[in-house]
mmCIF file of all heavy atoms in Angstrom:
data_model
loop_
_atom_site.group_PDB
_atom_site.id
_atom_site.type_symbol
_atom_site.label_atom_id
_atom_site.label_comp_id
_atom_site.label_asym_id
_atom_site.label_seq_id
_atom_site.Cartn_x
_atom_site.Cartn_y
_atom_site.Cartn_z
ATOM 1 N N MET A 40 -11.841 4.874 6.473
ATOM 2 C CA MET A 40 -10.572 5.489 6.065
ATOM 3 C C MET A 40 -9.720 4.503 5.259
ATOM 4 O O MET A 40 -9.686 3.333 5.548
ATOM 5 C CB MET A 40 -9.778 5.921 7.302
ATOM 6 C CG MET A 40 -10.296 7.195 7.958
ATOM 7 S SD MET A 40 -10.076 8.638 6.917
ATOM 8 C CE MET A 40 -8.286 8.813 6.950
ATOM 9 N N ALA A 41 -9.037 5.031 4.264
ATOM 10 C CA ALA A 41 -8.165 4.201 3.446
ATOM 11 C C ALA A 41 -6.855 3.921 4.165
ATOM 12 O O ALA A 41 -6.486 4.636 5.096
ATOM 13 C CB ALA A 41 -7.875 4.920 2.132
ATOM 14 N N TYR A 42 -6.163 2.872 3.723
ATOM 15 C CA TYR A 42 -4.821 2.613 4.222
ATOM 16 C C TYR A 42 -3.861 3.619 3.583
ATOM 17 O O TYR A 42 -4.124 4.142 2.497
ATOM 18 C CB TYR A 42 -4.394 1.188 3.847
ATOM 19 C CG TYR A 42 -4.830 0.140 4.851
ATOM 20 C CD1 TYR A 42 -6.180 -0.109 5.088
ATOM 21 C CD2 TYR A 42 -3.892 -0.610 5.556
ATOM 22 C CE1 TYR A 42 -6.577 -1.068 6.002
ATOM 23 C CE2 TYR A 42 -4.289 -1.579 6.469
ATOM 24 C CZ TYR A 42 -5.631 -1.801 6.696
ATOM 25 O OH TYR A 42 -6.025 -2.747 7.601
ATOM 26 N N THR A 43 -2.755 3.866 4.261
ATOM 27 C CA THR A 43 -1.702 4.705 3.691
ATOM 28 C C THR A 43 -0.372 3.972 3.857
ATOM 29 O O THR A 43 -0.212 3.150 4.764
ATOM 30 C CB THR A 43 -1.604 6.069 4.394
ATOM 31 O OG1 THR A 43 -1.416 5.874 5.792
ATOM 32 C CG2 THR A 43 -2.870 6.897 4.166
ATOM 33 N N ILE A 44 0.584 4.277 2.977
ATOM 34 C CA ILE A 44 1.898 3.640 3.021
ATOM 35 C C ILE A 44 2.906 4.639 3.591
ATOM 36 O O ILE A 44 3.060 5.741 3.063
ATOM 37 C CB ILE A 44 2.311 3.181 1.613
ATOM 38 C CG1 ILE A 44 1.385 2.045 1.164
ATOM 39 C CG2 ILE A 44 3.772 2.734 1.592
ATOM 40 C CD1 ILE A 44 1.589 1.584 -0.267
ATOM 41 N N ASN A 45 3.582 4.237 4.643
ATOM 42 C CA ASN A 45 4.525 5.168 5.277
ATOM 43 C C ASN A 45 5.921 5.089 4.652
ATOM 44 O O ASN A 45 6.152 4.334 3.704
ATOM 45 C CB ASN A 45 4.548 4.966 6.798
ATOM 46 C CG ASN A 45 5.187 3.658 7.217
ATOM 47 O OD1 ASN A 45 5.960 3.055 6.470
ATOM 48 N ND2 ASN A 45 4.862 3.210 8.430
ATOM 49 N N ASP A 46 6.861 5.861 5.193
ATOM 50 C CA ASP A 46 8.188 5.985 4.605
ATOM 51 C C ASP A 46 9.064 4.743 4.747
ATOM 52 O O ASP A 46 10.182 4.707 4.232
ATOM 53 C CB ASP A 46 8.917 7.192 5.207
ATOM 54 C CG ASP A 46 8.280 8.506 4.784
ATOM 55 O OD1 ASP A 46 7.508 8.505 3.807
ATOM 56 O OD2 ASP A 46 8.562 9.548 5.427
ATOM 57 N N GLU A 47 8.571 3.720 5.433
ATOM 58 C CA GLU A 47 9.337 2.478 5.549
ATOM 59 C C GLU A 47 9.335 1.696 4.243
ATOM 60 O O GLU A 47 10.127 0.771 4.054
ATOM 61 C CB GLU A 47 8.757 1.597 6.659
ATOM 62 C CG GLU A 47 8.805 2.216 8.058
ATOM 63 C CD GLU A 47 10.227 2.543 8.480
ATOM 64 O OE1 GLU A 47 11.087 1.666 8.356
ATOM 65 O OE2 GLU A 47 10.467 3.681 8.912
ATOM 66 N N CYS A 48 8.451 2.062 3.332
ATOM 67 C CA CYS A 48 8.296 1.350 2.056
ATOM 68 C C CYS A 48 9.618 1.262 1.294
ATOM 69 O O CYS A 48 10.318 2.255 1.126
ATOM 70 C CB CYS A 48 7.259 2.064 1.196
ATOM 71 S SG CYS A 48 7.081 1.367 -0.472
ATOM 72 N N ILE A 49 9.941 0.029 0.823
ATOM 73 C CA ILE A 49 11.170 -0.184 0.052
ATOM 74 C C ILE A 49 10.851 -0.423 -1.422
ATOM 75 O O ILE A 49 11.692 -0.918 -2.175
ATOM 76 C CB ILE A 49 11.980 -1.367 0.625
ATOM 77 C CG1 ILE A 49 11.118 -2.638 0.688
ATOM 78 C CG2 ILE A 49 12.522 -1.017 2.016
ATOM 79 C CD1 ILE A 49 11.898 -3.899 1.082
ATOM 80 N N SER A 50 9.622 -0.078 -1.825
ATOM 81 C CA SER A 50 9.201 -0.172 -3.230
ATOM 82 C C SER A 50 9.401 -1.556 -3.840
ATOM 83 O O SER A 50 9.829 -1.675 -4.983
ATOM 84 C CB SER A 50 9.926 0.885 -4.080
ATOM 85 O OG SER A 50 9.531 2.188 -3.683
ATOM 86 N N CYS A 51 9.057 -2.589 -3.078
ATOM 87 C CA CYS A 51 9.207 -3.948 -3.606
ATOM 88 C C CYS A 51 8.079 -4.319 -4.555
ATOM 89 O O CYS A 51 8.212 -5.222 -5.374
ATOM 90 C CB CYS A 51 9.266 -4.951 -2.460
ATOM 91 S SG CYS A 51 7.693 -5.198 -1.611
ATOM 92 N N GLY A 52 6.938 -3.643 -4.422
ATOM 93 C CA GLY A 52 5.819 -3.876 -5.338
ATOM 94 C C GLY A 52 4.878 -5.002 -4.963
ATOM 95 O O GLY A 52 3.873 -5.216 -5.639
ATOM 96 N N ALA A 53 5.169 -5.724 -3.907
ATOM 97 C CA ALA A 53 4.343 -6.875 -3.533
ATOM 98 C C ALA A 53 2.893 -6.489 -3.236
ATOM 99 O O ALA A 53 1.961 -7.190 -3.624
ATOM 100 C CB ALA A 53 4.949 -7.577 -2.324
ATOM 101 N N CYS A 54 2.703 -5.381 -2.590
ATOM 102 C CA CYS A 54 1.344 -4.967 -2.217
ATOM 103 C C CYS A 54 0.511 -4.595 -3.438
ATOM 104 O O CYS A 54 -0.689 -4.822 -3.462
ATOM 105 C CB CYS A 54 1.394 -3.796 -1.257
ATOM 106 S SG CYS A 54 2.258 -2.352 -1.911
ATOM 107 N N SER A 55 1.180 -4.035 -4.438
ATOM 108 C CA SER A 55 0.457 -3.586 -5.625
ATOM 109 C C SER A 55 -0.241 -4.754 -6.318
ATOM 110 O O SER A 55 -1.416 -4.668 -6.679
ATOM 111 C CB SER A 55 1.425 -2.898 -6.588
ATOM 112 O OG SER A 55 0.742 -2.420 -7.722
ATOM 113 N N SER A 56 0.471 -5.865 -6.479
ATOM 114 C CA SER A 56 -0.125 -7.019 -7.153
ATOM 115 C C SER A 56 -1.113 -7.740 -6.248
ATOM 116 O O SER A 56 -1.966 -8.477 -6.727
ATOM 117 C CB SER A 56 0.965 -7.976 -7.640
ATOM 118 O OG SER A 56 1.855 -8.306 -6.611
ATOM 119 N N GLY A 57 -1.029 -7.511 -4.939
ATOM 120 C CA GLY A 57 -1.920 -8.188 -4.016
ATOM 121 C C GLY A 57 -3.181 -7.424 -3.682
ATOM 122 O O GLY A 57 -4.086 -7.951 -3.040
ATOM 123 N N CYS A 58 -3.262 -6.192 -4.134
ATOM 124 C CA CYS A 58 -4.447 -5.379 -3.832
ATOM 125 C C CYS A 58 -5.616 -5.749 -4.741
ATOM 126 O O CYS A 58 -5.480 -5.707 -5.952
ATOM 127 C CB CYS A 58 -4.105 -3.896 -4.011
ATOM 128 S SG CYS A 58 -5.528 -2.809 -3.793
ATOM 129 N N PRO A 59 -6.762 -6.100 -4.167
ATOM 130 C CA PRO A 59 -7.917 -6.532 -4.961
ATOM 131 C C PRO A 59 -8.589 -5.409 -5.745
ATOM 132 O O PRO A 59 -9.350 -5.671 -6.673
ATOM 133 C CB PRO A 59 -8.866 -7.135 -3.914
ATOM 134 C CG PRO A 59 -8.562 -6.349 -2.688
ATOM 135 C CD PRO A 59 -7.059 -6.148 -2.730
ATOM 136 N N SER A 60 -8.307 -4.174 -5.384
ATOM 137 C CA SER A 60 -8.980 -3.067 -6.063
ATOM 138 C C SER A 60 -8.018 -2.201 -6.878
ATOM 139 O O SER A 60 -8.371 -1.098 -7.296
ATOM 140 C CB SER A 60 -9.738 -2.206 -5.052
ATOM 141 O OG SER A 60 -8.859 -1.721 -4.058
ATOM 142 N N GLU A 61 -6.809 -2.717 -7.110
ATOM 143 C CA GLU A 61 -5.814 -2.002 -7.911
ATOM 144 C C GLU A 61 -5.635 -0.553 -7.445
ATOM 145 O O GLU A 61 -5.559 0.373 -8.244
ATOM 146 C CB GLU A 61 -6.192 -2.050 -9.397
ATOM 147 C CG GLU A 61 -6.259 -3.482 -9.917
ATOM 148 C CD GLU A 61 -6.571 -3.565 -11.414
ATOM 149 O OE1 GLU A 61 -6.881 -2.543 -12.029
ATOM 150 O OE2 GLU A 61 -6.477 -4.684 -11.944
ATOM 151 N N ALA A 62 -5.555 -0.390 -6.135
ATOM 152 C CA ALA A 62 -5.458 0.952 -5.552
ATOM 153 C C ALA A 62 -4.012 1.405 -5.345
ATOM 154 O O ALA A 62 -3.771 2.564 -5.021
ATOM 155 C CB ALA A 62 -6.193 0.973 -4.216
ATOM 156 N N ILE A 63 -3.049 0.482 -5.523
ATOM 157 C CA ILE A 63 -1.657 0.810 -5.184
ATOM 158 C C ILE A 63 -0.784 0.918 -6.427
ATOM 159 O O ILE A 63 -0.719 0.002 -7.235
ATOM 160 C CB ILE A 63 -1.069 -0.255 -4.242
ATOM 161 C CG1 ILE A 63 -2.021 -0.524 -3.070
ATOM 162 C CG2 ILE A 63 0.305 0.207 -3.734
ATOM 163 C CD1 ILE A 63 -1.564 -1.641 -2.142
ATOM 164 N N THR A 64 -0.107 2.052 -6.551
ATOM 165 C CA THR A 64 0.789 2.276 -7.686
ATOM 166 C C THR A 64 2.136 2.798 -7.185
ATOM 167 O O THR A 64 2.254 3.299 -6.061
ATOM 168 C CB THR A 64 0.199 3.291 -8.678
ATOM 169 O OG1 THR A 64 -0.131 4.488 -7.968
ATOM 170 C CG2 THR A 64 -1.062 2.742 -9.340
ATOM 171 N N GLU A 65 3.149 2.699 -8.053
ATOM 172 C CA GLU A 65 4.486 3.154 -7.682
ATOM 173 C C GLU A 65 4.570 4.671 -7.740
ATOM 174 O O GLU A 65 4.197 5.284 -8.745
ATOM 175 C CB GLU A 65 5.520 2.535 -8.622
ATOM 176 C CG GLU A 65 6.951 2.844 -8.209
ATOM 177 C CD GLU A 65 7.967 2.060 -9.039
ATOM 178 O OE1 GLU A 65 7.582 1.486 -10.076
ATOM 179 O OE2 GLU A 65 9.146 2.049 -8.639
ATOM 180 N N GLY A 66 5.045 5.270 -6.652
ATOM 181 C CA GLY A 66 5.222 6.710 -6.624
ATOM 182 C C GLY A 66 6.687 7.077 -6.770
ATOM 183 O O GLY A 66 7.508 6.217 -7.077
ATOM 184 N N ASP A 67 7.037 8.306 -6.542
ATOM 185 C CA ASP A 67 8.408 8.773 -6.726
ATOM 186 C C ASP A 67 9.394 8.103 -5.763
ATOM 187 O O ASP A 67 10.445 7.642 -6.161
ATOM 188 C CB ASP A 67 8.475 10.289 -6.544
ATOM 189 C CG ASP A 67 7.821 11.023 -7.705
ATOM 190 O OD1 ASP A 67 7.690 10.418 -8.792
ATOM 191 O OD2 ASP A 67 7.436 12.190 -7.530
ATOM 192 N N SER A 68 9.039 8.057 -4.473
ATOM 193 C CA SER A 68 9.973 7.498 -3.501
ATOM 194 C C SER A 68 9.414 6.285 -2.767
ATOM 195 O O SER A 68 10.117 5.636 -2.008
ATOM 196 C CB SER A 68 10.355 8.570 -2.479
ATOM 197 O OG SER A 68 9.206 9.042 -1.815
ATOM 198 N N LYS A 69 8.138 5.992 -2.983
ATOM 199 C CA LYS A 69 7.503 4.839 -2.344
ATOM 200 C C LYS A 69 6.205 4.546 -3.093
ATOM 201 O O LYS A 69 5.773 5.337 -3.924
ATOM 202 C CB LYS A 69 7.212 5.135 -0.870
ATOM 203 C CG LYS A 69 6.227 6.291 -0.677
ATOM 204 C CD LYS A 69 5.952 6.557 0.797
ATOM 205 C CE LYS A 69 4.971 7.704 0.959
ATOM 206 N NZ LYS A 69 4.636 7.961 2.370
ATOM 207 N N TYR A 70 5.586 3.429 -2.757
ATOM 208 C CA TYR A 70 4.307 3.114 -3.371
ATOM 209 C C TYR A 70 3.212 3.923 -2.664
ATOM 210 O O TYR A 70 3.358 4.287 -1.490
ATOM 211 C CB TYR A 70 4.030 1.610 -3.271
ATOM 212 C CG TYR A 70 4.611 0.861 -4.455
ATOM 213 C CD1 TYR A 70 5.988 0.895 -4.705
ATOM 214 C CD2 TYR A 70 3.806 0.134 -5.327
ATOM 215 C CE1 TYR A 70 6.535 0.233 -5.794
ATOM 216 C CE2 TYR A 70 4.354 -0.537 -6.422
ATOM 217 C CZ TYR A 70 5.716 -0.484 -6.656
ATOM 218 O OH TYR A 70 6.247 -1.130 -7.741
ATOM 219 N N VAL A 71 2.148 4.220 -3.405
ATOM 220 C CA VAL A 71 1.084 5.048 -2.849
ATOM 221 C C VAL A 71 -0.284 4.397 -3.075
ATOM 222 O O VAL A 71 -0.495 3.670 -4.047
ATOM 223 C CB VAL A 71 1.090 6.461 -3.471
ATOM 224 C CG1 VAL A 71 2.329 7.234 -3.051
ATOM 225 C CG2 VAL A 71 1.002 6.396 -4.980
ATOM 226 N N ILE A 72 -1.202 4.659 -2.148
ATOM 227 C CA ILE A 72 -2.551 4.107 -2.203
ATOM 228 C C ILE A 72 -3.537 5.190 -2.595
ATOM 229 O O ILE A 72 -3.550 6.276 -2.011
ATOM 230 C CB ILE A 72 -2.950 3.508 -0.833
ATOM 231 C CG1 ILE A 72 -2.068 2.296 -0.524
ATOM 232 C CG2 ILE A 72 -4.435 3.124 -0.821
ATOM 233 C CD1 ILE A 72 -2.244 1.739 0.883
ATOM 234 N N ASP A 73 -4.365 4.893 -3.605
ATOM 235 C CA ASP A 73 -5.438 5.802 -4.015
ATOM 236 C C ASP A 73 -6.595 5.617 -3.024
ATOM 237 O O ASP A 73 -7.260 4.577 -3.006
ATOM 238 C CB ASP A 73 -5.878 5.439 -5.437
ATOM 239 C CG ASP A 73 -6.978 6.366 -5.965
ATOM 240 O OD1 ASP A 73 -7.716 6.961 -5.150
ATOM 241 O OD2 ASP A 73 -7.112 6.464 -7.198
ATOM 242 N N ALA A 74 -6.818 6.626 -2.205
ATOM 243 C CA ALA A 74 -7.834 6.530 -1.158
ATOM 244 C C ALA A 74 -9.232 6.307 -1.728
ATOM 245 O O ALA A 74 -10.100 5.737 -1.068
ATOM 246 C CB ALA A 74 -7.822 7.800 -0.306
ATOM 247 N N GLY A 75 -9.442 6.733 -2.950
ATOM 248 C CA GLY A 75 -10.745 6.570 -3.576
ATOM 249 C C GLY A 75 -11.017 5.146 -4.017
ATOM 250 O O GLY A 75 -12.166 4.774 -4.264
ATOM 251 N N LYS A 76 -9.950 4.359 -4.141
ATOM 252 C CA LYS A 76 -10.100 2.964 -4.585
ATOM 253 C C LYS A 76 -9.955 1.967 -3.446
ATOM 254 O O LYS A 76 -10.466 0.855 -3.515
ATOM 255 C CB LYS A 76 -9.062 2.642 -5.660
ATOM 256 C CG LYS A 76 -9.263 3.368 -6.974
ATOM 257 C CD LYS A 76 -8.208 2.914 -7.981
ATOM 258 C CE LYS A 76 -8.403 3.593 -9.345
ATOM 259 N NZ LYS A 76 -7.322 3.198 -10.281
ATOM 260 N N CYS A 77 -9.235 2.323 -2.398
ATOM 261 C CA CYS A 77 -8.974 1.404 -1.284
ATOM 262 C C CYS A 77 -10.273 1.009 -0.578
ATOM 263 O O CYS A 77 -11.086 1.859 -0.245
ATOM 264 C CB CYS A 77 -8.030 2.068 -0.280
ATOM 265 S SG CYS A 77 -7.702 1.068 1.183
ATOM 266 N N VAL A 78 -10.438 -0.308 -0.364
ATOM 267 C CA VAL A 78 -11.641 -0.808 0.307
ATOM 268 C C VAL A 78 -11.327 -1.319 1.725
ATOM 269 O O VAL A 78 -12.126 -2.049 2.320
ATOM 270 C CB VAL A 78 -12.330 -1.910 -0.526
ATOM 271 C CG1 VAL A 78 -12.838 -1.333 -1.843
ATOM 272 C CG2 VAL A 78 -11.400 -3.088 -0.802
ATOM 273 N N ASP A 79 -10.141 -0.928 2.234
ATOM 274 C CA ASP A 79 -9.804 -1.249 3.633
ATOM 275 C C ASP A 79 -9.724 -2.737 3.933
ATOM 276 O O ASP A 79 -10.057 -3.147 5.051
ATOM 277 C CB ASP A 79 -10.822 -0.606 4.576
ATOM 278 C CG ASP A 79 -10.422 0.800 5.004
ATOM 279 O OD1 ASP A 79 -9.221 1.110 4.961
ATOM 280 O OD2 ASP A 79 -11.312 1.577 5.394
ATOM 281 N N CYS A 80 -9.282 -3.534 2.961
ATOM 282 C CA CYS A 80 -9.266 -4.981 3.211
ATOM 283 C C CYS A 80 -8.082 -5.425 4.070
ATOM 284 O O CYS A 80 -8.118 -6.482 4.691
ATOM 285 C CB CYS A 80 -9.260 -5.738 1.888
ATOM 286 S SG CYS A 80 -7.692 -5.626 0.997
ATOM 287 N N GLY A 81 -6.999 -4.647 4.048
ATOM 288 C CA GLY A 81 -5.838 -4.984 4.862
ATOM 289 C C GLY A 81 -4.841 -5.936 4.218
ATOM 290 O O GLY A 81 -3.835 -6.279 4.831
ATOM 291 N N ALA A 82 -5.109 -6.361 2.986
ATOM 292 C CA ALA A 82 -4.216 -7.318 2.316
ATOM 293 C C ALA A 82 -2.808 -6.754 2.163
ATOM 294 O O ALA A 82 -1.820 -7.469 2.342
ATOM 295 C CB ALA A 82 -4.778 -7.696 0.946
ATOM 296 N N CYS A 83 -2.689 -5.482 1.846
ATOM 297 C CA CYS A 83 -1.367 -4.867 1.650
ATOM 298 C C CYS A 83 -0.539 -4.927 2.933
ATOM 299 O O CYS A 83 0.668 -5.176 2.895
ATOM 300 C CB CYS A 83 -1.508 -3.432 1.160
ATOM 301 S SG CYS A 83 -2.588 -2.389 2.159
ATOM 302 N N ALA A 84 -1.179 -4.704 4.056
ATOM 303 C CA ALA A 84 -0.475 -4.732 5.338
ATOM 304 C C ALA A 84 0.018 -6.150 5.639
ATOM 305 O O ALA A 84 1.094 -6.335 6.208
ATOM 306 C CB ALA A 84 -1.386 -4.235 6.452
ATOM 307 N N ASP A 85 -0.764 -7.155 5.245
ATOM 308 C CA ASP A 85 -0.375 -8.543 5.486
ATOM 309 C C ASP A 85 0.784 -8.955 4.588
ATOM 310 O O ASP A 85 1.648 -9.741 4.990
ATOM 311 C CB ASP A 85 -1.566 -9.475 5.233
ATOM 312 C CG ASP A 85 -2.654 -9.328 6.285
ATOM 313 O OD1 ASP A 85 -2.354 -8.829 7.391
ATOM 314 O OD2 ASP A 85 -3.798 -9.713 5.993
ATOM 315 N N ILE A 86 0.792 -8.434 3.361
ATOM 316 C CA ILE A 86 1.807 -8.804 2.371
ATOM 317 C C ILE A 86 3.139 -8.101 2.612
ATOM 318 O O ILE A 86 4.201 -8.684 2.410
ATOM 319 C CB ILE A 86 1.294 -8.446 0.955
ATOM 320 C CG1 ILE A 86 0.110 -9.335 0.567
ATOM 321 C CG2 ILE A 86 2.415 -8.539 -0.085
ATOM 322 C CD1 ILE A 86 -0.652 -8.855 -0.673
ATOM 323 N N CYS A 87 3.108 -6.863 3.018
ATOM 324 C CA CYS A 87 4.310 -6.015 3.111
ATOM 325 C C CYS A 87 5.360 -6.562 4.081
ATOM 326 O O CYS A 87 5.063 -6.845 5.231
ATOM 327 C CB CYS A 87 3.918 -4.611 3.540
ATOM 328 S SG CYS A 87 5.328 -3.491 3.629
ATOM 329 N N PRO A 88 6.633 -6.673 3.624
ATOM 330 C CA PRO A 88 7.697 -7.184 4.484
ATOM 331 C C PRO A 88 8.172 -6.199 5.547
ATOM 332 O O PRO A 88 8.862 -6.581 6.491
ATOM 333 C CB PRO A 88 8.815 -7.492 3.490
ATOM 334 C CG PRO A 88 8.605 -6.530 2.364
ATOM 335 C CD PRO A 88 7.083 -6.419 2.242
ATOM 336 N N VAL A 89 7.809 -4.934 5.403
ATOM 337 C CA VAL A 89 8.286 -3.930 6.369
ATOM 338 C C VAL A 89 7.142 -3.190 7.072
ATOM 339 O O VAL A 89 7.339 -2.137 7.680
ATOM 340 C CB VAL A 89 9.238 -2.909 5.686
ATOM 341 C CG1 VAL A 89 10.518 -3.607 5.225
ATOM 342 C CG2 VAL A 89 8.557 -2.203 4.524
ATOM 343 N N SER A 90 5.928 -3.725 6.964
ATOM 344 C CA SER A 90 4.760 -3.135 7.634
ATOM 345 C C SER A 90 4.541 -1.660 7.320
ATOM 346 O O SER A 90 4.160 -0.879 8.201
ATOM 347 C CB SER A 90 4.879 -3.315 9.150
ATOM 348 O OG SER A 90 4.961 -4.670 9.484
ATOM 349 N N ALA A 91 4.772 -1.302 6.052
ATOM 350 C CA ALA A 91 4.589 0.106 5.671
ATOM 351 C C ALA A 91 3.124 0.539 5.531
ATOM 352 O O ALA A 91 2.798 1.676 5.859
ATOM 353 C CB ALA A 91 5.356 0.382 4.378
ATOM 354 N N PRO A 92 2.226 -0.324 5.029
ATOM 355 C CA PRO A 92 0.823 0.099 4.937
ATOM 356 C C PRO A 92 0.180 0.157 6.328
ATOM 357 O O PRO A 92 0.272 -0.788 7.109
ATOM 358 C CB PRO A 92 0.164 -0.996 4.081
ATOM 359 C CG PRO A 92 1.301 -1.652 3.362
ATOM 360 C CD PRO A 92 2.430 -1.619 4.364
ATOM 361 N N GLN A 93 -0.431 1.276 6.622
ATOM 362 C CA GLN A 93 -1.055 1.470 7.930
ATOM 363 C C GLN A 93 -2.534 1.811 7.757
ATOM 364 O O GLN A 93 -2.902 2.551 6.862
ATOM 365 C CB GLN A 93 -0.371 2.646 8.655
ATOM 366 C CG GLN A 93 1.128 2.480 8.840
ATOM 367 C CD GLN A 93 1.466 1.446 9.928
ATOM 368 O OE1 GLN A 93 0.798 1.379 10.952
ATOM 369 N NE2 GLN A 93 2.500 0.653 9.683
ATOM 370 N N ALA A 94 -3.356 1.261 8.633
ATOM 371 C CA ALA A 94 -4.784 1.562 8.607
ATOM 372 C C ALA A 94 -4.981 3.047 8.934
ATOM 373 O O ALA A 94 -4.312 3.596 9.806
ATOM 374 C CB ALA A 94 -5.517 0.702 9.626
ATOM 375 N N GLY A 95 -5.881 3.670 8.191
ATOM 376 C CA GLY A 95 -6.083 5.103 8.406
ATOM 377 C C GLY A 95 -7.025 5.361 9.460
ATOM 378 O O GLY A 95 -7.316 5.564 10.421
HETATM 379 FE FE1 SF4 B 58 -5.684 -2.391 -1.527
HETATM 380 FE FE2 SF4 B 58 -6.803 -3.551 0.581
HETATM 381 FE FE3 SF4 B 58 -4.483 -2.257 0.860
HETATM 382 FE FE4 SF4 B 58 -6.714 -0.880 0.412
HETATM 383 S S1 SF4 B 58 -6.242 -2.127 2.258
HETATM 384 S S2 SF4 B 58 -4.762 -0.566 -0.620
HETATM 385 S S3 SF4 B 58 -7.843 -2.282 -0.950
HETATM 386 S S4 SF4 B 58 -4.834 -4.142 -0.351
HETATM 387 FE FE1 SF4 B 59 6.275 -0.799 -0.142
HETATM 388 FE FE2 SF4 B 59 5.469 -2.751 1.474
HETATM 389 FE FE3 SF4 B 59 4.193 -2.297 -0.806
HETATM 390 FE FE4 SF4 B 59 6.638 -3.375 -0.832
HETATM 391 S S1 SF4 B 59 4.779 -4.331 0.003
HETATM 392 S S2 SF4 B 59 5.886 -1.697 -2.181
HETATM 393 S S3 SF4 B 59 7.598 -2.302 0.900
HETATM 394 S S4 SF4 B 59 4.325 -0.901 0.955
#
């Protein structure tokens, strides 16, 4: 299962640049993860200051 970003996201963008598979892009109200690209590495969860990315 891919990671998902919950509503705690403050759109800081840190996870996007830290994702090895370029799976994270800016959405309307928060950043979003493309499940087809996510390789479940967990880097986004480690980088995020508010723990918004959650393992699926
Ligand atoms: Fe990218 Fe890894 Fe987060 Fe998936 S778990 S979105 S591959 S940083
Ligand atoms: Fe949102 Fe966290 Fe990613 Fe920043 S690092 S854009 S707060 S999910």
Side-chain angles (χ1 to χ4, degrees):
M40 284 293 291
Y42 273 63
T43 56
I44 293 174
N45 70 21
D46 292 343
E47 298 301 311
C48 175
I49 55 173
S50 295
C51 71
C54 58
S55 182
S56 52
C58 175
S60 57
E61 300 183 352
I63 311 176
T64 54
E65 186 172 13
D67 289 339
S68 59
K69 63 180 180 178
Y70 272 60
V71 292
I72 294 172
D73 182 336
K76 292 183 178 177
C77 177
V78 295
D79 270 336
C80 72
C83 52
D85 290 339
I86 292 167
C87 182
V89 294
S90 301
Q93 303 286 321

